[in-house]
Amino acid sequence: MKLRLTLAALAAASAAFALDPLEKADACSTQLSPELVPAEGYFPIGVLGDHRFRLLPFAGLNLCETSHCCYEFKDGKPCAYRKAGNGKGLFFFNVWAAHTVYNSSETKHYGTIKRPVSDSGREYGRQMIRYFDPATRQYVLDAAAATVDSVMKQGDRGSVFIWGIDNEWEPPLDYSEEAVTAFRAFLEKAYGGDLSKLNRAWGETYKAFADAQPPKVAEYTLKPGAWLDWRRFQEEAYADFIRDYFKAIQERDPDHRAVVTKSTQCTIEMQSVVRNRALNHEILADRTRDLSKGWYGIDQYGHGDRNTYEMNYLYHCILPNDPAERKFRYGVFSGEANNHAGPGWQFAQSYWRLPSNGYKGGNFFVLGYFGAKNDYSTFGLTAPDGVRRSRFHYLTRYAAMIHRSEPFWAKAEPAAGVPRIAMLMPQRDILLANDTGVSRWDYSTNNRLSVYSHLRNAGYWVDVIPYGKLNPAFLKQYGALFLVGAEHLSPKECADIEAFVQAGGKLYSDMRAGSFDEHHLEARGLEKVLGLRHKGVYTGIEVSPDDVWYNTEYGNVIRGDGKILYETTTGKLLNAEDLFHNAKAAQVVGNDYGKGKSFWFTTRLGALRPESVEPMVVSNFFGGWLKRGGVKPAYAHSTAGGDRLRVEQPQMTADGNLAIAVAGATRFALPAGTLTVALPAAAKFTHAFWAPAESALLEKVAFTRTADGAAFALPEVKTAGILYCFTTPEPLLGIAVLNPRHAAKSDPATPELVPGETVKVKVQLANPGTTELAAGAVTLRAPADWKAEPAKFDTAALKPGELREFTFQVTIPESSAHFRPNFVYPLVAEFTAGGARTGVIHQSVGMRLDPKKFDHLLSDNATDGRFPRDFAIRTGAEYIYNFPEELPDGQYVKDPSSNKTPGRSGNGLTDGLDWWSRRVTFAMPEAEVVFDLKSAYEVTAVNLRKGAPAFPNGIEVEVSEDGKSFRTVAKAPKPDWDEGGWTMVKTEPAKGRYVLVRIKYPTAKGGYLDELEIYGRPLK
């Protein structure tokens, strides 16, 4: 068969024969070798949906996700894995071993796979497996090992950065016989053989541990003790299995790389979801920390405070309980991330904050493509019309910000010695929380995120910690501890909290804090510290519900719901005057305990809300009580209120370098003003530089030292940015195209250049350190067929705090094989000294191309990452079948092929590839399809993809301007099909709105067609 190349094949061939050096991920990073071997300071950052790395390296990104599901393993066959890597980027490689039994439970060597059982006795299916069954468990572990073996065998050893497992695999609670038997053994150990204690906790009269029956999910409030024990058992069992899963993967990897899950944020605090999935993030992190090598994997969607709140919690799950232990580089890896369908400015405000809250890299979801639907449309960094969204352009600058000082962000930790407070994530109480009725994805009524946001509004740095971090060594880092709805605490946890307060810490708690232990046995574990005795929950009566109010300078305008009855012992009512004037006043009881203080609130702190006043009134309420306890805020801005501003905890490395993320919290920019920040005594910097999210440039900022930190003269902050306060003389680079004539459609900060033009590019070199930066050279790299002059600028040594600027001239060619619309191209500035490339920064630019010079997809086909269509015009095209009203007996069409009866119910010729529901069946020897492009175009080609055999053996194309009179413009009596199943038929030059494609099959039985694309050029 003679060689024929379709558009997709031509693009692939062009890329293969003309690989530009900037098309490799090492171009924008100092921490990847030319062979893509990561250095210690590598920071992984990428996007799903570009497995071939066509675009990602040009955008400054270095990572993508890929996966393999060895369906063959259950049948005793080798994995049909094909090499995925191409030397242009690295993979987060997911091993889908549990999914191998998605379609069938029968295996050749392991018998029938067993499934978990619901509390109603129903077996789950698909990718859910009963890991309590030894044979089933071993099957999954062996399937995982087989996948890794095949990846190594096919030559992808160097393509993997980190391993993952099945996508968002969070199994249900398993009520199978094996699980219940194991649970009874767990109970006997947990209760030390004390059956009477179990009976007290459960309210039962069992004669033996073997009699214990796990509660159903719906009984969580009726049987709280049994529910907490059942949950703990399930959580530990899941974590133990995941540990074995990780080990199976890592042991077959010759490089023993880290393994993580793709867990979800939904199992942190969305109680309706948490109850039904056997995952506890703290336990999972603790059981797998050595195999994950300090990473914790999560899929996280959202923005603003919720993102930092969740990220911070997960970071504190993966951190060791001993703060002195530093075996690994600890951090969170996002398998998927995005700010849902939010705008670019929101993306910047959210993600510039995350590296200061434990984020150490990951993938964003998803690149998107022309014609995308569902999640790929909603979350796509590319809109369905093919235009890159504003958050895509912010992501390219985010990557540039990371790579400017990549080793710093890879290694930095929250600075020690700064004021911060802790908030406990009380997982036991989340499991017992009632649904709000608002949404399955809602937090509980006692909303800890709400408290977190108010504390942040008030200027405080807040760490969200799991139970294990309540130990004395960890808690001594904090000035205060918040317990919001934390009613179930173990005796050790209560003792550690008591020791924290006794040593001088401040405790802020609500409701029945510490009243029960981890088995729901009454413990009253914190009453001595609180200086009171809980007497019960006020249930209210019809004419006097449990609504309460806190008084403020504006009156009783902070509303609460729910209250606890109590009597003081050593504590004192601190707002007695409010209660005197208002019988429904919520109360605060204070108690001096050792060197510290306790402040207890009678109502739910997470339910407090303003009435007829702005939310900052509630935030100031929290801030006021913290100040009364001697806990000062960490930061403030002279012209922006706390509800408009977020300053994250300073990040610091062992060599004294420090950086501070600053972001807005609303759609409004932060005006220029003075930012006062508490800093550690170890911060010895003498100069500061500001880098905004809207550019890759640097700006030197003035500052003055304060008693406990510094006051910076910040410029306006449109969305977010980074303050660099380094002590070592590391080169910081900046870059910008000067005075571009055009900008990207969705992002005014991304220049669009024109083929053939020459532009000037400014490159900055700064020395942020306290000593001299050695002499070196500044260079500017552009795509290989562009011209950048001069070749380099030699630089003399830079003094501390010095910023120099260099102007390069870049000429873009008139044409290039790389030119595509909605694409970006990197301009990469580098600093080299002593033969080493020690600094890098890039700016991504687009190209403004003349659409009349390129063939475009005109038929609105849904494309995907495997068959990208860079040149596409959204026409609104539709197609019809040109058949007689009545077909001969036995002839019919099914659109799509999955239809049970003949007829058309979909758009199988234009809605994507491969699936049975996206193909068309023609049971006839010849079929005619007429496309209406809605406007006239110059039609240049049709591109067809065959379905299953039999496929077409003849194609004819006709074009019409009015839909009535057609003329033939192409005939392909013997079409050739490439390896991807495509054949392209070029047409004579033809102007028209309607395109008729006649498809002929070898026999009267007809055949299939997967996709039909129309190509052409605009007339104007």
Side-chain angles (χ1 to χ4, degrees), residues 149-172:
D149 287 345
S150 66
V151 172
M152 298 299 111
K153 184 178 179 180
Q154 293 299 319
D156 262 338
R157 176 176 176 179
S159 301
V160 178
F161 169 67
I162 191 171
W163 297 99
I165 63 169
D166 301 77
N167 186 55
E168 298 182 352
W169 199 72
E170 298 177 333

Side-chain angles (χ1 to χ4, degrees), residues 23 109 130 186 219 293 399 411 513 525-526 594 717 747 752 803 837 942:
E23 289 185 274
H109 299 302
R130 189 186 306 176
F186 167 87
E219 296 177 319
K293 299 190 175 182
K411 300 175 184 178
L526 290 177
V717 180
D747 185 69
E752 274 195 349
L803 174 67
R837 180 171 171 258
V942 297

Side-chain angles (χ1 to χ4, degrees), residues 95 143-153 163 248-250 252-254:
V95 177
T147 294
V148 177
D149 287 345
S150 66
V151 172
M152 298 299 111
K153 184 178 179 180
W163 297 99
I249 293 171
Q250 194 171 87
R252 298 306 267 266
D253 175 10

Side-chain angles (χ1 to χ4, degrees), residues 50 103 256 464 510 582 598 611 618 624 639 649 661 727 732 833 874 905 932 961 979:
D50 186 16
N103 297 313
H256 305 295
V464 188
D510 69 355
N582 175 20
S598 164
E611 292 192 330
V618 182
T639 59
Q649 295 184 43
T727 55
L732 292 184
R874 187 181 178 197
S905 63
D932 178 1
E961 293 190 49
E979 291 183 359

Side-chain angles (χ1 to χ4, degrees), residues 854-868:
F854 303 92
D855 288 350
H856 289 70
L857 175 68
L858 301 178
S859 42
D860 284 1
N861 300 67
T863 66
D864 66 16
R866 295 167 299 156
F867 300 101

Side-chain angles (χ1 to χ4, degrees), residues 4-17 817 820 978 984 986:
R4 300 188 76 252
L5 294 178
T6 64
L7 288 180
L10 281 168
S14 172
F17 291 112
R820 304 178 183 99
D978 68 11
M984 176 167 280
K986 291 286 189 179

Side-chain angles (χ1 to χ4, degrees), residues 164-229:
I165 63 169
D166 301 77
N167 186 55
E168 298 182 352
W169 199 72
E170 298 177 333
L173 308 186
D174 185 3
Y175 287 78
S176 66
E177 182 179 347
E178 296 97 325
V180 173
T181 299
F183 175 51
R184 290 164 177 160
F186 167 87
L187 287 175
E188 188 162 9
K189 181 178 179 181
Y191 282 90
D194 189 343
L195 184 61
S196 63
K197 184 178 180 181
L198 172 73
N199 283 329
R200 289 198 309 275
W202 286 32
E204 298 287 357
T205 56
Y206 292 134
K207 302 300 183 183
F209 281 98
D211 297 335
Q213 294 294 327
K216 294 184 177 183
V217 175
E219 296 177 319
Y220 68 96
T221 55
L222 300 176
K223 301 178 179 180
W227 173 244
L228 290 177
D229 288 338

Side-chain angles (χ1 to χ4, degrees), residues 386-529:
V387 175
R388 309 294 177 192
R389 288 178 163 135
S390 59
R391 58 181 185 260
F392 168 82
H393 296 290
Y394 271 105
L395 176 57
T396 68
R397 293 191 289 273
Y398 188 60
M401 179 273 289
I402 293 293
H403 291 140
R404 173 188 282 127
S405 49
E406 189 172 358
F408 172 85
W409 290 114
K411 300 175 184 178
E413 299 175 352
V418 297
R420 53 172 67 94
I421 59 182
M423 176 189 292
L424 178 69
M425 181 73 77
Q427 204 67 35
R428 303 177 191 115
D429 294 282
I430 292 168
L431 288 167
L432 292 167
N434 288 315
D435 295 338
T436 63
V438 175
S439 165
R440 183 170 181 250
W441 316 105
D442 196 21
Y443 288 175
S444 64
T445 301
N446 201 356
N447 193 313
R448 295 161 196 88
L449 174 58
S450 174
V451 177
Y452 174 88
S453 291
H454 284 305
L455 295 174
R456 297 306 311 273
N457 285 350
Y460 290 88
W461 289 325
V462 185
D463 282 344
V464 188
I465 63 172
Y467 294 113
K469 302 301 185 291
L470 290 174
N471 68 79
F474 211 92
L475 280 183
K476 71 179 182 181
Q477 303 175 88
Y478 302 102
L481 170 65
F482 271 74
L483 301 177
V484 181
E487 298 190 342
H488 294 79
L489 297 168
S490 72
K492 182 182 184 307
E493 290 158 2
C494 288
D496 287 343
I497 293 169
E498 180 179 348
F500 166 74
V501 180
Q502 200 160 32
K506 311 304 188 301
L507 177 64
Y508 294 80
S509 62
D510 69 355
M511 305 302 281
R512 297 176 296 178
S515 286
F516 306 96
D517 72 2
E518 69 271 35
H519 303 290
H520 193 68
L521 286 166
E522 187 175 74
R524 298 182 178 273
L526 290 177
E527 287 186 346
K528 185 167 61 171
V529 180

